Amino acid sequence: MPITIKQIAKKANVSIATVSRALSGDSKVREDTKKLVLKIAKQLNYNPNILARNFVKGKSNIIGLVLPDISDEYFSEIIRSIDDTSYLNGYYTMVMSSHENRSLTESINTMMNSGIVGGFILLIPFINSEIKKALNSGSVPFVLISGDDDIGDFDVVTTDNYQSAFRMVEFLVVKGYKKIAHISGPPDNNDASLRKKGFLNACSKYKIDVKKSWLAKGNFTMESGEKACSKLLNEKEKPDVIFAANDMMALGCYKAIHSIGLKIPVDIAITGFDDILISEYANPSLTTIRVDTDRIGKVAAERLIEKMNGSINKTIQKKEIASQLVIRSSC
Amino acid sequence: MPITIKQIAKKANVSIATVSRALSGDSKVREDTKKLVLKIAKQLNYNPNILARNFVKGKSNIIGLVLPDISDEYFSEIIRSIDDTSYLNGYYTMVMSSHENRSLTESINTMMNSGIVGGFILLIPFINSEIKKALNSGSVPFVLISGDDDIGDFDVVTTDNYQSAFRMVEFLVVKGYKKIAHISGPPDNNDASLRKKGFLNACSKYKIDVKKSWLAKGNFTMESGEKACSKLLNEKEKPDVIFAANDMMALGCYKAIHSIGLKIPVDIAITGFDDILISEYANPSLTTIRVDTDRIGKVAAERLIEKMNGSINKTIQKKEIASQLVIRSSC
DNA sequence: ATATATAATGTAAACGTTTACATTGCTGTT
DNA sequence: AACAGCAATGTAAACGTTTACATTATATAT
């Protein structure tokens, strides 16, 4: 019982083709017929059947968004950012979380083959050959959002993990720190390894001697940060600052440090990476790196829409979104 | 160029109707034809065109999810939970954020009239007559997720704001606190007013004398909590515990208290509401109330799917999801 | 006024699937 | 062997929109 162009056509005494043209606006329709059709459409509260439109056009104006198997505080920001951008360009956003019941490849296959989306964005913490294969199996355009752009011949939007970690070290060096420790993230995580690499290369550039025992291992959890920090504090030569590969581990360091009565940043300084909500309010507030999630979503969506429109640029594009050093009181 | 049932039909030497029936499984098709069709479908890597299916069936298996104009850390959990439930029932999830560019009513109208979704869930912090009107304007089923179930004749899933606030006070009373202050949230926010109501009624039941000056006003931000707390600390008769209507304000209290050198919970105790990520890691960890977002999403999605399937229960359902008191070190 | 070009509109097919209805094939009963 | 009854399959229409192509109306040039 929703209004269709047929009813408009009848009421306006024109053919459905004219109605369609008047509504889509781009074809040649006489000004007054167009006005009439628009008026009647409005009057009847007509809304185009999007499913029918997508179906007949053979392409969908729905953008798929594949989320990985983890809950992350910044996902809702990315989702919102992508949805905003999509909306402004006349697209809708469909989410698809991967989890125990639905694997990532299954999600990709649905995106590729069901026709339900015209393109998709994949939030992907790591890549493997199975995923690559799935991504190469179809012709639906997509863009990746990842921590690493070295993941094959795909369009990808990344954070500048390496650069930011590098700059963090530079900042610490300028501040006068000499003994810098690092707590790294999971070894199979791209963000983690790039941050570590940035750390190491910066240290090497600025002639900071990194003791092996100062390269602690964590897994991005607060607990692992706490544990790693305790270990560092037990070294006979203690670092004077710890650069954790993410904020959660940095806050774990807070715990370890406070528990033995030391003070940040007086006794030891801490820095993190991510600028999660809590970091601003921690005591002391945490110096860290803010990822521009808003921009990441926007850039990814814009690039995807470009591809969906079949516009010019066919070459693979790697876009790195700059993060920002957020200087607070922890160092 | 995606595979269609036509190609399967040709290859299997049957009509497209038989293919359709074999694939949908529910009609009477001979066992061996069914097997043959399924085999060929698999072999050709057939995926049904969902747009076409939805279109011809006149209904969509996409569930819309309308998000309000705020970024909230628990949204990604709700989104995930809804998507999980949808997926398990054969549905997809489409998000639609409301914001400056797209009003809430506009989102509702799209959901109602474009045919793109078969039903939708509305995350809604408050309701007004314009929204009510929009909701009453169509025939697409929907479910609300709100802080208050007293928002008209709609299916709604709520948190038990009132009950939980009530129980928080009970808990504080049992703990021996006598002078309880409250920092309320925005006056037009349902969650906020129900929490305040629960607080007041519990105080009244347990004969807790609530001084007028102990009813501070905030707006859910950390700053407002800090300010309200400072004011409370300047009263000649200070409360011995402050129950903030949300965690952010509770953490604002932390700031105010620490800044003048007092200790929590020794000098004054604090409790919150929401159990945001940061609360567990605050110092001291915050006693608060955890909203079961996972369950909220699941229940809302299940109820919506029930309605979309046109199953039995047509009467309005108000479902209140129980929250959990999380006892930590701040009181 | 006529011919021509072009603008406006109409006609009808197409998209992939489901499904009401029609037809065919098979089984068992007499 | 004839027929009923039902199971299996086929035929074709339908869904709402767009769009290639056909037709008609209008404007322009002669």
Side-chain angles (χ1 to χ4, degrees):
Chain A
M1 76 208 64
I3 308 299
T4 70
I5 53 170
K6 265 190 199 166
Q7 296 163 61
I8 299 178
K10 202 170 167 189
K11 204 153 181 178
N13 255 315
V14 295
S15 72
I16 57 164
T18 301
V19 174
S20 174
R21 283 189 276 252
L23 290 171
S24 60
D26 47 9
S27 293
K28 28 192 107 174
V29 182
R30 223 176 50 221
E31 199 53 42
D32 50 344
T33 21
K34 189 172 167 181
K35 260 188 188 150
L36 177 67
V37 168
L38 257 43
K39 189 180 140 204
I40 293 178
K42 192 165 186 182
Q43 178 187 317
L44 295 178
N45 190 28
Y46 168 78
N47 285 79
N49 183 320
I50 295 179
L51 255 29
R53 174 181 295 171
N54 284 343
F55 167 55
V56 67
K57 284 202 164 188
K59 62 183 181 180
S60 168
N61 71 336
I62 302 174
I63 288 178
L65 177 56
V66 183
L67 304 169
D69 188 14
I70 43 171
S71 246
D72 201 312
E73 107 182 23
Y74 84 114
F75 282 174
S76 55
E77 265 180 68
I78 291 215
I79 294 172
R80 174 176 304 273
S81 165
I82 289 174
D83 181 39
D84 279 12
T85 310
S86 302
Y87 173 72
L88 291 174
N89 290 278
Y91 290 85
Y92 296 102
T93 308
M94 164 175 291
V95 296
M96 193 168 280
S97 320
S98 303
H99 46 73
E100 40 182 345
N101 296 317
R102 172 173 52 192
S103 74
L104 185 53
T105 38
E106 190 181 342
S107 296
I108 296 173
N109 285 331
T110 304
M111 296 285 172
M112 284 290 185
N113 299 310
S114 68
I116 199 168
V117 300
F120 63 95
I121 294 171
L122 194 61
L123 270 141
I124 188 167
F126 70 96
I127 202 160
N128 60 29
S129 60
E130 188 194 353
I131 295 171
K132 273 191 188 168
K133 198 178 148 200
L135 287 173
N136 283 318
S137 75
S139 55
V140 174
F142 61 88
V143 171
L144 309 183
I145 293 179
S146 168
D148 186 1
D149 63 2
D150 189 20
I151 52 175
D153 285 339
F154 305 121
D155 282 75
V156 54
V157 177
T158 60
T159 51
D160 60 344
N161 281 301
Y162 176 87
Q163 275 304 324
S164 294
F166 199 100
R167 274 186 294 136
M168 175 65 90
V169 173
E170 279 183 325
F171 168 72
L172 293 174
V173 168
V174 170
K175 270 252 174 183
Y177 291 103
K178 298 260 179 343
K179 303 190 247 176
I180 310 179
H182 181 67
I183 305 177
S184 52
D188 60 340
N189 181 294
N190 282 331
D191 300 86
S193 39
L194 283 168
R195 290 169 193 184
K196 186 174 183 177
K197 205 166 156 194
F199 165 81
L200 290 172
N201 287 7
C203 285
S204 144
K205 173 169 178 195
Y206 292 103
K207 308 260 184 297
I208 300 290
D209 180 38
V210 182
K211 288 197 190 304
K212 199 132 198 192
S213 59
W214 290 350
L215 286 174
K217 287 181 183 17
N219 61 8
F220 277 171
T221 65
M222 184 176 260
E223 290 70 33
S224 75
E226 188 177 0
K227 220 167 142 185
C229 182
S230 298
K231 225 171 119 193
L232 289 170
L233 294 173
N234 280 330
E235 291 294 322
K236 51 187 166 221
E237 191 169 7
K238 290 189 212 16
D240 46 27
V241 58
I242 301 174
F243 173 20
N246 78 343
D247 285 3
M248 264 301 173
M249 294 195 299
L251 296 170
C253 295
Y254 276 44
K255 273 195 164 175
I257 292 164
H258 289 145
S259 75
I260 58 169
L262 294 182
K263 288 240 183 278
I264 306 169
V266 187
D267 300 311
I268 186 165
I270 302 289
T271 70
F273 203 118
D274 279 350
D275 194 27
I276 59 178
L277 184 66
I278 178 170
S279 302
E280 180 181 355
Y281 302 120
N283 189 10
S285 57
L286 180 67
T287 292
T288 183
I289 284 160
R290 176 179 306 141
V291 176
D292 192 348
T293 46
D294 209 68
R295 197 163 155 67
I296 290 175
K298 184 161 182 266
V299 168
E302 281 172 348
R303 172 60 181 148
L304 178 62
I305 289 167
E306 205 178 288
K307 289 176 88 172
M308 289 170 73
N309 288 340
S311 347
I312 356 138
N313 211 325
K314 287 270 180 186
T315 58
I316 300 297
Q317 292 200 10
K318 314 268 188 189
K319 308 203 181 191
E320 195 171 81
I321 306 303
S323 302
Q324 189 189 349
L325 179 62
V326 181
I327 301 168
R328 299 210 183 93
S329 322
S330 65
C331 69
Chain B
M1 76 208 64
I3 308 300
T4 70
I5 53 171
K6 263 190 200 164
Q7 295 164 62
I8 299 179
K10 200 171 170 188
K11 203 154 184 177
N13 254 315
V14 294
S15 72
I16 57 166
T18 301
V19 175
S20 174
R21 283 189 276 253
L23 289 171
S24 60
D26 47 8
S27 294
K28 27 192 106 176
V29 183
R30 222 173 54 217
E31 199 53 39
D32 50 345
T33 19
K34 188 172 166 180
K35 260 188 189 149
L36 177 67
V37 168
L38 255 44
K39 191 181 139 203
I40 294 177
K42 191 166 187 180
Q43 180 188 314
L44 294 179
N45 189 29
Y46 168 78
N47 285 80
N49 182 320
I50 294 179
L51 255 29
R53 175 181 292 171
N54 284 344
F55 167 55
V56 67
K57 285 202 164 189
K59 62 184 183 181
S60 167
N61 71 338
I62 303 174
I63 288 178
L65 178 54
V66 183
L67 303 169
D69 187 12
I70 44 173
S71 246
D72 202 313
E73 108 183 19
Y74 84 116
F75 282 173
S76 55
E77 267 180 65
I78 290 215
I79 294 171
R80 174 176 303 273
S81 164
I82 289 174
D83 181 39
D84 278 12
T85 310
S86 302
Y87 173 72
L88 291 174
N89 289 278
Y91 290 85
Y92 296 102
T93 308
M94 163 174 292
V95 295
M96 193 168 281
S97 319
S98 303
H99 46 73
E100 41 183 344
N101 296 317
R102 172 171 51 191
S103 74
L104 185 53
T105 39
E106 191 181 341
S107 297
I108 295 174
N109 285 331
T110 304
M111 295 285 171
M112 284 291 183
N113 299 309
S114 68
I116 200 170
V117 300
F120 63 95
I121 295 172
L122 194 63
L123 271 139
I124 188 168
F126 70 94
I127 202 162
N128 60 29
S129 59
E130 189 193 353
I131 296 171
K132 274 192 189 170
K133 197 178 149 200
L135 287 173
N136 282 319
S137 75
S139 57
V140 174
F142 62 88
V143 171
L144 309 183
I145 293 179
S146 168
D148 185 0
D149 62 2
D150 189 20
I151 52 174
D153 286 339
F154 304 122
D155 282 73
V156 53
V157 178
T158 60
T159 50
D160 59 344
N161 282 302
Y162 177 87
Q163 275 303 323
S164 294
F166 199 101
R167 275 187 294 135
M168 176 64 90
V169 173
E170 279 181 327
F171 168 74
L172 293 174
V173 169
V174 170
K175 270 253 176 183
Y177 291 104
K178 296 262 180 342
K179 301 190 252 176
I180 311 179
H182 180 68
I183 305 178
S184 51
D188 59 340
N189 180 292
N190 283 329
D191 299 84
S193 39
L194 283 168
R195 290 169 193 184
K196 185 173 184 179
K197 204 168 157 192
F199 165 80
L200 289 173
N201 287 7
C203 285
S204 145
K205 175 171 175 192
Y206 291 103
K207 308 262 184 295
I208 300 288
D209 180 38
V210 182
K211 289 198 190 307
K212 199 127 195 195
S213 59
W214 289 351
L215 287 174
K217 289 183 184 14
N219 62 6
F220 277 173
T221 66
M222 183 176 261
E223 290 70 33
S224 75
E226 187 176 2
K227 219 166 144 186
C229 182
S230 297
K231 225 171 119 194
L232 289 170
L233 294 172
N234 279 331
E235 292 293 320
K236 51 189 167 216
E237 191 169 6
K238 290 190 212 15
D240 46 27
V241 58
I242 300 174
F243 172 20
N246 78 343
D247 284 4
M248 263 303 173
M249 294 195 299
L251 296 170
C253 294
Y254 275 45
K255 273 196 164 176
I257 292 164
H258 289 146
S259 76
I260 59 168
L262 295 182
K263 287 241 184 277
I264 307 169
V266 187
D267 300 311
I268 187 164
I270 301 289
T271 69
F273 202 117
D274 280 349
D275 195 27
I276 60 178
L277 184 66
I278 179 174
S279 303
E280 182 182 354
Y281 302 119
N283 188 12
S285 59
L286 180 67
T287 292
T288 184
I289 285 161
R290 177 181 305 140
V291 175
D292 192 347
T293 46
D294 210 66
R295 198 163 154 66
I296 290 174
K298 184 160 181 267
V299 168
E302 282 173 346
R303 172 60 181 148
L304 178 63
I305 289 166
E306 206 178 287
K307 290 177 85 173
M308 287 169 74
N309 288 340
S311 350
I312 357 145
N313 210 327
K314 286 272 179 183
T315 57
I316 299 297
Q317 292 199 12
K318 314 269 187 188
K319 307 204 182 190
E320 196 171 82
I321 306 302
S323 303
Q324 191 190 346
L325 179 62
V326 182
I327 300 168
R328 299 210 183 91
S329 323
S330 65
C331 70

